[in-house]
């Protein structure tokens, strides 16, 4: 969560990708290099810009399920609880 | 000649000469190679382990860019175990925002699927609320724990009592019956948690009660994956090989007793498991170099044949981490670095 570990984990979980492939997938979707994925300074900015959740939740930034809606779009992944939220709220 | 400061498997300090260090590294890999019928580590890999143990620093790590992700078993249980009196959703937030966890697992203190079944409707709203306020992927997890299905804790005759009486067939029949019931409970709870939005289901400490435990987990994973093709299932093992309590139990025509991680992972893949968590047990009377060399040998063989992500179990008593409630960072960091750099695994 300090950098991009949660995002890489999501790709492993959703697509069954191994670590190198999962990192490359996330890096491409975020338009960063693979080596930048573990830099907490760069990733905080990227996460803030994309509104995909950050470890220091500033006022006004996407939090919790809001951020996961964005994340589902950015990573092009189905997120179970996001789909459930849409279903429950008739979005 | 330099002196190496390291530890025994129980965590007590130990000093070794460079010669003794290399001897233990060679003995550790040889032990794993013989037991698992797998390749021993190469001279280059042993030299890399030698270098890691020779580093004078307390904490060591991988080069930037080689980091891996972490999954956790029983996180919301462990925070209570250490006396931090917070609610489970707060525990998830602490792990995520204060410890920077990549993933988390919601679980109940009675960490087995059998007791979860009757209270699953009390667990679902906790998960649903947690998913609204957290960011990281959230597993729901528990143990198959087939030991809870036999007397005095469950309905079936206890095989450990039947065996000494010579009732081998009765004991085997009891194991078979526990598998059937455990599969029902695992699938029931997992279905409910998937419906509530869980990002994944963690079957933890698989094989603790022998091959029946492993079989029930494979069967449950197979059913769940066929019913929900998108579901993520993590399967974390209890020990390095499948205990042959039954002896002849099979899944998909393959005998389960005695399987090591590089064989277990192929069955996990066949059952539709998404992430596999193999284990190598720590020997308390051997040195950390011996334990780590041995663990790396097993894990490398597993990672080499796997087509799914491998998250090696690296906790107290497994993965060359000392059998101690407060594992020392010098051992944990050396073991983690070696696992990532030599095994090319996907997570811890």
């Amino acid at each position: 969560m300090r950098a991009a570990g949660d995002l890489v984990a999501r790709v492993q979980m959703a697509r069954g990708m191994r670590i190198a492939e999962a990192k490359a997938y996330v890096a491409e979707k975020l338009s960063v290099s693979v080596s930048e994925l573990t830099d907490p300074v760069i990733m905080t900015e990227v996460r803030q810009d994309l509104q995909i959740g950050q470890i220091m939740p500033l006022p006004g930034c996407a939090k919790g399920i809001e951020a996961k809606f964005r994340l589902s779009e950015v990573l092009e992944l189905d997120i179970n609880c996001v789909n459930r939220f849409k279903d429950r709220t008739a979005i | 000649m330099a002196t190496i400061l390291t530890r025994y498997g129980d965590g007590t300090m130990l000093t070794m000469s460079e010669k003794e260090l290399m001897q233990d590294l060679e003995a550790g890999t040889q032990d794993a190679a013989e037991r698992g019928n797998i390749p021993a580590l190469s001279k280059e890999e042993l030299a890399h382990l030698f270098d890691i143990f020779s580093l004078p620093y307390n904490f060591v790590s991988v080069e930037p860019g080689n980091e891996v992700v972490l999954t956790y078993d029983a996180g919301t249980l462990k925070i209570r175990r250490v006396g931090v009196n917070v609610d489970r959703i707060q525990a998830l937030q602490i792990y995520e925002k204060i410890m920077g966890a990549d993933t988390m697992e919601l679980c109940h203190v009675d960490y087995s699927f059998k007791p979860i079944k009757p209270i699953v409707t009390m667990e679902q709203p906790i998960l649903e609320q947690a998913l609204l306020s957290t960011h990281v992927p959230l597993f729901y997890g528990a143990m198959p724990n087939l030991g809870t299905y036999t007397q005095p804790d469950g309905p079936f005759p206890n095989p450990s009592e039947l065996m000494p009486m010579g009732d081998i067939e009765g004991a085997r029949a009891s194991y078979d019956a526990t598998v059937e019931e455990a599969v029902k409970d695992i699938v029931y709870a997992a279905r409910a948690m998937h419906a509530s939005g869980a990002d994944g289901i963690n079957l933890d400490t698989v094989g603790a009660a022998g091959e029946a435990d492993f079989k029930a987990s494979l069967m449950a994973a197979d059913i769940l994956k066929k019913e929900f093709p998108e579901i993520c299932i993590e399967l974390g093992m209890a020990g390095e090989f499948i205990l042959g309590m039954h002896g002849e139990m099979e899944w998909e025509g393959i005998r389960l007793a005695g399987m090591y991680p590089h064989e277990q992972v192929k069955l996990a893949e066949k059952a539709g498991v998404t992430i596999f968590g193999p284990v190598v047990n720590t020997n308390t009377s051997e040195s950390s170099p011996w334990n780590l060399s041995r663990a790396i040998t097993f894990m490398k063989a597993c990672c080499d044949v796997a087509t799914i992500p491998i998250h090696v179990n690296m906790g107290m008593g497994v993965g060359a981490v000392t059998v101690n409630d407060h594992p020392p960072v010098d051992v944990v960091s050396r073991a983690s670095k070696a696992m990532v750099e030599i095994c090319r695994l996907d997570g811890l």
Side-chain angles (χ1 to χ4, degrees), chain A residues 10 12 18-19 23 68 80, chain B residues 67 131 135 198 306 311 346:
Chain A
R10 272 197 191 281
Q12 284 193 347
R18 300 203 64 178
I19 189 79
K23 282 183 177 179
K68 286 190 277 193
N80 192 6
Chain B
E67 295 90 343
L131 285 163
H135 301 85
H311 287 203
D346 308 283

Side-chain angles (χ1 to χ4, degrees), chain B:
Chain B
M1 186 174 280
T3 298
I4 311 296
L5 186 63
T6 182
R7 296 175 189 272
Y8 280 108
D10 68 357
T12 52
M13 298 297 288
L14 166 71
T15 54
M16 310 175 89
S17 67
E18 289 183 342
K19 185 181 175 187
E20 288 169 332
L21 170 60
M22 187 48 89
Q23 281 173 345
D24 269 20
L25 292 174
E26 288 170 350
T29 190
Q30 205 54 45
D31 185 78
E34 286 171 11
R35 288 174 188 268
N37 195 21
I38 51 178
L41 296 179
S42 67
K43 283 184 179 173
E44 292 74 22
E45 288 160 345
L46 288 172
H48 190 57
L49 283 178
F50 183 93
D51 290 343
I52 290 173
F53 277 103
S54 301
L55 292 168
Y57 314 109
N58 192 22
F59 182 88
V60 301
S61 186
V62 296
E63 290 178 17
N66 290 340
E67 295 90 343
V68 296
V69 298
L70 302 182
T71 44
Y72 302 82
D73 61 343
T76 57
L77 181 164
K78 286 169 182 169
I79 204 157
R80 296 301 300 271
R81 191 189 291 166
V82 296
V84 178
N85 296 305
V86 294
D87 174 73
R88 284 187 286 170
I89 294 178
Q90 293 167 332
L92 295 171
Q93 291 170 327
I94 288 170
Y95 268 91
E96 175 182 286
K97 289 290 172 51
I98 297 176
M99 301 184 196
D102 297 326
T103 67
M104 261 310 288
E105 178 190 293
L106 177 72
C107 69
H108 191 267
V109 287
D110 201 352
Y111 191 54
S112 303
F113 281 102
K114 182 173 170 248
I116 298 302
K117 188 178 182 181
I119 60 160
V120 75
T121 52
M122 301 297 285
E123 292 291 274
Q124 285 176 280
I126 304 292
L127 176 72
E128 290 164 6
Q129 290 173 60
L131 285 163
L132 294 174
S133 61
T134 56
H135 301 85
V136 297
L138 197 51
F139 286 88
Y140 187 86
M143 301 190 297
N145 201 355
L146 267 70
T148 60
Y149 292 85
T150 55
Q151 294 162 6
D153 301 311
F156 303 110
N158 194 324
S160 298
E161 291 176 358
L162 297 177
M163 291 263 195
M165 293 190 286
D167 187 1
I168 306 299
E169 288 309 310
R172 284 180 172 157
S174 185
Y175 276 124
D176 290 336
T178 62
V179 170
E180 205 172 311
E181 287 305 306
V183 170
K184 285 181 197 167
D185 292 349
I186 296 168
V187 170
Y188 183 90
R191 264 188 199 133
M193 290 305 169
H194 183 66
S196 286
D199 291 299
I201 302 297
N202 184 24
L203 307 184
D204 187 23
T205 326
V206 169
E211 73 264 66
D213 214 289
F214 189 39
K215 182 175 180 176
S217 303
L218 294 170
M219 288 173 68
D222 189 47
I223 291 167
L224 289 167
K225 198 68 181 181
K226 283 176 179 154
E227 194 171 332
F228 311 107
E230 76 288 359
I231 196 171
C232 168
I233 300 170
E234 179 163 11
L235 192 147
M237 300 304 293
E240 65 193 31
F241 72 96
I242 306 296
L243 294 166
M245 308 297 282
H246 180 290
E248 293 182 350
M249 189 169 275
E250 296 181 349
W251 183 71
E252 297 285 308
I254 299 168
R255 186 169 171 264
L256 303 176
M259 289 188 123
Y260 277 98
H262 63 289
E263 300 159 319
Q264 297 161 11
V265 68
K266 300 316 289 180
L267 291 192
E269 286 172 359
K270 198 170 182 180
V273 166
T274 317
I275 298 174
F276 181 63
V279 161
V280 178
N281 303 94
T282 299
N283 184 327
T284 54
S285 57
E286 296 286 356
S287 70
S288 287
W290 186 93
N291 276 298
L292 184 55
S293 179
R294 183 174 182 278
I296 294 278
T297 307
F298 277 123
M299 294 299 97
K300 185 169 187 300
C302 179
C303 290
D304 283 350
V305 299
T307 58
I308 58 174
I310 301 295
H311 287 203
V312 171
N313 277 265
M314 299 286 292
M316 191 269 280
V318 295
V321 176
T322 52
V323 184
N324 184 288
D325 278 337
H326 189 189
V329 71
D330 50 288
V331 170
V332 175
S333 64
R334 276 169 178 73
S336 302
K337 175 180 170 67
M339 285 284 179
V340 172
E341 292 179 340
I342 297 177
C343 300
R344 301 289 169 198
L345 46 76
D346 308 283
L348 300 171

Side-chain angles (χ1 to χ4, degrees), chain A residues 4 28-29 41 44-45 49-50 60 65-66 68 77-78 89:
Chain A
E28 188 201 336
K29 296 295 178 194
V41 176
T44 297
E45 287 184 16
D49 288 347
L50 295 174
I65 192 75
E66 300 165 344
K68 286 190 277 193
L77 294 178
D78 266 340
T89 53

